Amino acid sequence: MAPTDITRTVNNVPESKFEAVQTVMPVTVTDPRQIRQVLAVTKPIASANFTGCLNIILCYNKATENDSGFIVAGWIRESLARALTEQPLLAGRLRRGEDGGGELEIVSNDSGVRLVEASNSLSLKEFIDFKGREKAAAESQLVFWKSIDEQNPQFSPLFYVQVTNFECGGYSIGISCSILLADLVIMDKFLQTWAKIQCDMLSKNEDSNLPIFYLPNLKPSSPSLNGILSSTPIDNFGQTMIFNISKENMILEEESSKKLALLCIQEAEQNLGTKMSLHEFNFLVKETTKVIKVENCKKNEIVNFNLERHFKSSCANLKEYLKMSELAFREGNKAIRVSCWIGSVSDGFVLGIPSHEEVTSDFNIIITFPIENLN
C-alpha cells in the first residue's frame, strides 16, 4: 500500500481525539518585523512547497507520578511564547508583497503558531511496537498539519505543535513546520533553545504543581473538537539525507549549487538504494536569512566531477543529524522514541542551506525521496 492510501484509522490504529487548540504568539512584539522573500525562479511555485512539511515526534514517559501531557502542554504555552522571540518567523505568515500582486514573502507578524492538545487510546508501548504501515498511520495521529492555502496563504499557520496524552500516562510532542522555514528548526537548533527555556522555567517553578494553562482545570466537559479541527493527511513519507559540504573559501553561485545538489542526489540514491522517481525535483536554496529561492529543476543533467575529490563532505540521516534523543522538556526526562521525516513531498525535495550567514565555507544539502511503499 502506498503512503497516500493510509487513512487515519488504517489497521485499527485509533484516531486521536482533539481536546483543545490555542494560538501561541511571541511573548513580546516583534519589532522590527523580519521578512523572508520566497523568490520563484520557476513560476508558479510548485504546490509541494505549500504542502511539504518537516515532522518530528518525541515520545516521553511520565517523569513523575503527577506528570502528564496536559501539564507539559500548559508549560509549553508559556515556554514556546518565549522561544518564538528567538525565531519570530515561525509565528509569521506567508503573504504576497506589493499590495498582494508580487512575490511571496514570509513576515514575522506575530500571528502565532497552533498548539493542539489531544488524547489517544493507545498506550505508549503499543505505539512503539507498531511497524510499517501501522507505524506510519499511528505517527500521523501524533502530528497536526494543515497545508498552506495557495490562494490565501496569509491565513495559514506555518508551525504546529500537538501534545498527545497516551492511555498509559506517557505523552508525545509532535512538531510540524513548513519546509519554507524548516532550516530554522534543522540548522538553527530552535527545538534545543525551546526545550532549554522550558527546563529553566520548570526549575524555577518547582513549587507550582500546575501551569496556568492546565486544560483539565479550564475546559468544561464537552464533545471532541474532531468535527471542527481537520488535519491534512500527511502522505508521501520521505527518506531524508543531509550532506554537510565544506571547502575553504567556497562561494556558491546558482549553477554550482545546482551541481552540488545533483551530486548529492546521486550519492543519496546509492546510500538509500532508491531512485528519485521523476526527472524533476523542487530545489530550495536559502541565499540569506531574508531570501529563499524556489525552483523546479531537471534531474537528468550530467555532472562530470567527483563530490569527494572537490569537497570534504559528510552525510547523515535526519534523525542522526538532529540528535533529538537528547531533547528533554523536563530536566532528565529524555525522549524514548524519536521519529522525523519530511512529508507530503510527492516528487522529491532538495534544500540548500549555508551553515552560517557570514561564512561561505560550509553548505548543507538536504535530500528527500518519497517512500513509494511501506512494508
Side-chain angles (χ1 to χ4, degrees), residues 78-183:
E78 299 184 49
S79 65
L80 182 55
R82 299 184 189 185
L84 288 170
T85 62
E86 303 282 334
Q87 295 290 1
L89 280 175
L90 293 172
R93 296 291 186 270
L94 265 172
R95 69 180 185 187
R96 297 196 181 275
E98 299 178 6
D99 298 322
E103 295 279 3
L104 283 169
E105 58 187 22
I106 300 170
V107 59
S108 59
N109 59 6
D110 297 340
S111 291
V113 307
R114 293 286 191 265
L115 171 60
V116 178
E117 296 186 58
S119 58
N120 195 290
S121 58
L122 286 172
S123 68
L124 182 52
K125 182 181 184 306
E126 287 174 320
F127 168 74
I128 290 175
D129 287 343
F130 281 133
K131 305 295 181 184
R133 290 176 295 176
E134 286 185 332
K135 176 176 178 286
E139 287 181 340
S140 73
Q141 297 300 309
L142 305 184
V143 286
F144 190 99
W145 175 248
K146 194 76 172 174
S147 294
I148 298 169
D149 187 322
E150 295 185 44
Q151 302 304 316
N152 298 292
Q154 69 272 21
F155 300 118
S156 298
L158 305 176
F159 193 90
Y160 289 86
V161 178
Q162 177 178 322
V163 180
T164 306
N165 287 273
F166 290 108
E167 189 69 23
C168 61
Y171 54 87
S172 67
I173 300 174
I175 295 113
S176 299
C177 176
S178 167
I179 57 174
L180 296 173
L181 290 173
D183 60 287

Side-chain angles (χ1 to χ4, degrees), residues 73-342:
W75 288 116
I76 281 177
R77 176 66 179 80
E78 299 184 49
S79 65
L80 182 55
R82 299 184 189 185
L84 288 170
T85 62
E86 303 282 334
Q87 295 290 1
L89 280 175
L90 293 172
R93 296 291 186 270
L94 265 172
R95 69 180 185 187
R96 297 196 181 275
E98 299 178 6
D99 298 322
E103 295 279 3
L104 283 169
E105 58 187 22
I106 300 170
V107 59
S108 59
N109 59 6
D110 297 340
S111 291
V113 307
R114 293 286 191 265
L115 171 60
V116 178
E117 296 186 58
S119 58
N120 195 290
S121 58
L122 286 172
S123 68
L124 182 52
K125 182 181 184 306
E126 287 174 320
F127 168 74
I128 290 175
D129 287 343
F130 281 133
K131 305 295 181 184
R133 290 176 295 176
E134 286 185 332
K135 176 176 178 286
E139 287 181 340
S140 73
Q141 297 300 309
L142 305 184
V143 286
F144 190 99
W145 175 248
K146 194 76 172 174
S147 294
I148 298 169
D149 187 322
E150 295 185 44
Q151 302 304 316
N152 298 292
Q154 69 272 21
F155 300 118
S156 298
L158 305 176
F159 193 90
Y160 289 86
V161 178
Q162 177 178 322
V163 180
T164 306
N165 287 273
F166 290 108
E167 189 69 23
C168 61
Y171 54 87
S172 67
I173 300 174
I175 295 113
S176 299
C177 176
S178 167
I179 57 174
L180 296 173
L181 290 173
D183 60 287
L184 300 181
V185 177
I186 296 173
M187 298 301 172
D188 291 353
K189 309 300 182 184
F190 172 77
L191 298 184
Q192 285 81 353
T193 300
W194 170 23
K196 184 178 185 306
I197 290 172
Q198 176 133 337
C199 286
D200 290 345
M201 284 178 52
L202 289 175
S203 67
K204 295 175 183 177
N205 290 276
E206 291 180 354
D207 296 332
S208 300
N209 294 323
L210 297 175
I212 295 173
F213 299 96
Y214 180 58
L215 181 61
N217 284 354
L218 300 174
K219 174 177 170 286
S221 178
S222 62
S224 165
L225 295 177
N226 287 50
I228 300 172
L229 291 179
S230 60
S231 176
T232 300
I234 300 174
D235 55 12
N236 298 104
F237 286 64
Q239 285 182 295
T240 297
M241 294 198 71
I242 299 178
F243 292 82
N244 179 264
I245 302 167
S246 63
K247 182 181 179 181
E248 190 174 358
N249 299 322
M250 179 177 68
I251 299 177
L252 283 174
E253 303 295 340
E254 183 178 352
E255 287 303 314
S256 60
S257 63
K258 284 184 188 177
K259 289 179 180 179
L260 274 177
L262 290 166
L263 286 170
C264 291
I265 288 173
Q266 295 170 12
E267 186 80 11
E269 287 177 336
Q270 293 179 8
N271 286 326
L272 297 175
T274 187
K275 293 284 185 182
M276 190 173 284
S277 57
L278 300 180
H279 296 296
E280 296 183 352
F281 60 91
N282 295 306
F283 185 38
L284 282 69
V285 180
K286 178 186 175 185
E287 296 194 332
T288 69
T289 56
K290 297 181 179 180
V291 178
I292 187 166
K293 278 190 174 181
V294 182
E295 187 173 2
N296 186 259
C297 293
K298 304 291 183 182
K299 180 173 169 282
N300 55 6
E301 180 181 346
I302 298 175
V303 182
N304 291 318
F305 65 92
N306 181 274
L307 179 66
E308 294 298 334
R309 181 181 297 178
H310 290 79
F311 304 98
K312 293 180 180 179
S313 70
S314 60
C315 61
N317 62 41
L318 192 57
K319 183 176 178 179
E320 290 170 343
Y321 193 90
L322 290 172
K323 297 179 181 178
M324 290 281 101
S325 60
E326 299 298 312
L327 202 65
F329 284 82
R330 180 184 289 272
E331 196 68 42
N333 191 27
K334 296 179 181 179
I336 64 167
R337 172 69 173 270
V338 177
S339 296
C340 43
W341 72 96
I342 293 176

Side-chain angles (χ1 to χ4, degrees), residues 41-58:
V41 178
T42 307
K43 296 184 179 181
I45 292 181
S47 60
N49 296 304
F50 291 96
T51 60
C53 59
L54 168 68
N55 302 281
I56 299 170
I57 296 173
L58 304 155

